[in-house]
Amino acid sequence: MNAPSSIATLIRPTLRSRVPGLLLAVAIGVLAMVLGRYAPLIGGPVIGIVLGILVRNLLSPGERYQPGIAFAGKYVLQWSIIALGFGLSLSQVAKTGLESLSVTLVTMTVAFLAAWLLGRWLGVHDKLKILIGVGTAICGGSAIAAVTPIIRPDDHDTAFAISTIFLFNLVAVLLFPLLGHLMHMSDLGFGLWAGTAINDTSSVVAAGYSYSHAAGDYATIVKLTRATLIIPVCLVLAFAVAARENRKHKEAGTVGHFSLASIFPWFILWFLVASAMRTAGLIPTAIQPAIHMLAEFLIIVALTAIGLSANLRRMAASGARPILLGLGVWIAVSVSSLLVQLVIGQL
C-alpha cells in the first residue's frame, strides 16, 4: 500500500504532500536572506541556490520533500516575478529607458549572438545556451527565473547558469569601477556601461554607487528599464517553443495537442498588471518596501528549491564549457556597450 501511495503522491501532489519540501526551501531561504544582508555583493538569491545545492548533494533529502521542492521551483518562482512588478514604475524609467535603448538593444543582440555562436562552437546544448544568453543579456538570475517555466530546462542547468552569471557579476563589481576610472569615464557614461553590461540588479547598484552617486542613480534606472525587456523575450521564446513542438508532431505524423496557451507565460501578464498598478499610483508608498522584501524572499525561496533539485555530478559532467560560454558572452556584452557609447559620444 505504501509504495503505490507514494507514487501517486509524486504524480498528483496534494497540498499536504508539498508541505515538507516547501518548509525546507523556506527555512533555507530565510537563512540565505539573512546571510545575504552580511554579504550584499553575493546576495541572498545566490546564497540560497548554493545552500540548496549543498543540502541536496550532502544530505540527500528523501522523496517526501520532492513535491514541495518542485512546487517552489516553479510556482513560487512565478509569484516572485509578479511581485517584482509592483516595484517597477513604467513612467519612472521611460525617459532614461529611451536614452539608453540603443545601447541596450545592441548589447542584447550581441549577447544572444555570442551565446549562440560560441555555445555552438563549445558544444553547449541549446537550453543552457538560452539560459546563459538571457541571463547575461537582461538581468541575471531574474531573467533566468522568468524563462525557466517556458523552455523547461533541467534544474541542474538552471543552477549552473545562475552560478556562472554570478561569477562574472562578482568580477564586474570589483573590476568595472577600476576600469571606469582608468578610462576617465563620465558619471553617466559609467552608469550606462554598468547598467547595460552587469547582469544582477544588486551588482549594478554596487558597481554604480562605488563609482559615484550620480553613476549609481543612472545605472539603477538603466538596469530597471533593461529588465522590462524580459517580457518580449519571454513572448518570443513562448512562440518559438510552441512552433517547435507542433513541428515535431507534424513530422512524426502524430496528433499534437500542444498549444501556445499551454506554455504561455501568463505570469508575465500579471507582472504587467502589477507594474501598471505601480505606475498608476495604486500601490501605497508605505508598503512598497515590504513588497520589495517579499519579492526578494520569494525569489530566494524559489532559487533555493532549484538548488535543492540540482545534481552536482551532472553539473560536473558538463565540464568547463558553460563557464567559458558565460565568460565569452560577458566580455562581448561589456565591450559592445563601450563601443556603442564611443560611437554615439556618451562616454
Side-chain angles (χ1 to χ4, degrees):
M1 287 295 290
N2 289 340
S5 176
S6 175
I7 293 173
T9 298
L10 289 174
I11 295 174
R12 294 187 298 274
T14 62
L15 177 60
R16 184 177 179 181
S17 71
R18 290 170 176 156
V19 170
L22 276 172
L23 288 178
L24 178 61
V26 168
I28 298 174
V30 169
L31 176 60
M33 192 168 189
V34 172
L35 293 176
R37 295 290 184 263
Y38 292 97
L41 290 182
I42 301 175
V46 172
I47 293 175
I49 200 167
V50 170
L51 290 177
I53 290 172
L54 291 175
V55 171
R56 162 69 172 81
N57 291 275
L58 296 179
L59 302 180
S60 301
E63 289 296 327
R64 72 189 189 99
Y65 292 95
Q66 299 313 309
I69 290 172
F71 180 84
K74 181 178 180 180
Y75 294 103
V76 175
L77 196 59
Q78 296 178 13
W79 298 342
S80 71
I81 301 300
I82 295 169
L84 286 173
F86 287 109
L88 182 61
S89 171
L90 300 181
S91 59
Q92 174 190 2
V93 302
K95 182 176 181 295
T96 301
L98 289 174
E99 292 175 352
S100 63
L101 188 60
S102 59
V103 181
T104 300
L105 291 178
V106 168
T107 56
M108 278 187 59
T109 303
V110 167
F112 289 127
L113 284 175
W116 179 61
L117 293 172
L118 186 57
R120 188 174 180 180
W121 180 65
L122 290 170
V124 177
H125 65 81
D126 288 344
K127 289 186 178 181
L128 189 52
K129 281 191 292 190
I130 291 173
L131 291 175
I132 291 176
V134 167
T136 306
I138 303 176
C139 50
S142 297
I144 292 172
V147 303
T148 293
I150 302 171
I151 67 172
R152 299 172 185 173
D154 290 340
D155 286 327
H156 78 280
D157 283 339
T158 304
F160 207 149
I162 291 174
S163 300
T164 300
I165 294 297
F166 159 71
L167 173 63
F168 299 113
N169 272 338
L170 184 58
V171 172
V173 169
L174 300 174
L175 189 61
F176 269 41
L178 175 63
L179 292 177
H181 287 298
L182 288 175
M183 292 185 288
H184 304 289
M185 297 180 72
S186 67
D187 291 334
L188 295 188
F190 182 83
L192 184 56
W193 187 37
T196 53
I198 302 177
N199 310 316
D200 184 69
T201 302
S202 60
S203 300
V204 170
V205 171
Y209 283 107
S210 68
Y211 193 79
S212 73
H213 188 82
D217 286 346
Y218 199 78
T220 300
I221 298 176
V222 170
K223 178 64 183 65
L224 291 175
T225 306
R226 179 178 159 205
T228 64
L229 295 177
I230 192 59
I231 298 169
V233 168
C234 282
L235 293 177
V236 169
L237 284 174
F239 277 103
V241 171
R244 184 187 62 190
E245 292 298 324
N246 285 326
R247 186 170 61 251
K248 285 182 179 179
H249 284 297
K250 185 176 181 180
E251 292 173 352
T254 58
V255 178
H257 298 290
F258 188 89
S259 67
L260 178 62
S262 67
I263 60 153
F264 186 84
W266 297 105
F267 65 94
I268 293 293
L269 293 182
W270 288 110
F271 171 87
L272 286 173
V273 170
S275 296
M277 292 175 64
R278 170 72 173 83
T279 304
L282 300 178
I283 308 299
T285 304
I287 69 170
Q288 287 173 16
I291 293 176
H292 177 76
M293 184 175 293
L294 174 64
E296 180 186 5
F297 180 64
L298 288 176
I299 201 166
I300 288 173
V301 171
L303 295 179
T304 296
I306 289 173
L308 286 167
S309 303
N311 189 319
L312 276 183
R313 290 182 180 178
R314 294 185 65 185
M315 290 174 67
S318 300
R321 290 175 296 173
I323 296 177
L324 292 175
L325 173 60
L327 174 62
V329 176
W330 176 66
I331 290 175
V333 168
S334 300
V335 172
S336 65
S337 177
L338 286 175
L339 290 177
V340 175
Q341 289 190 66
L342 186 63
V343 169
I344 63 179
Q346 285 192 231
L347 279 177

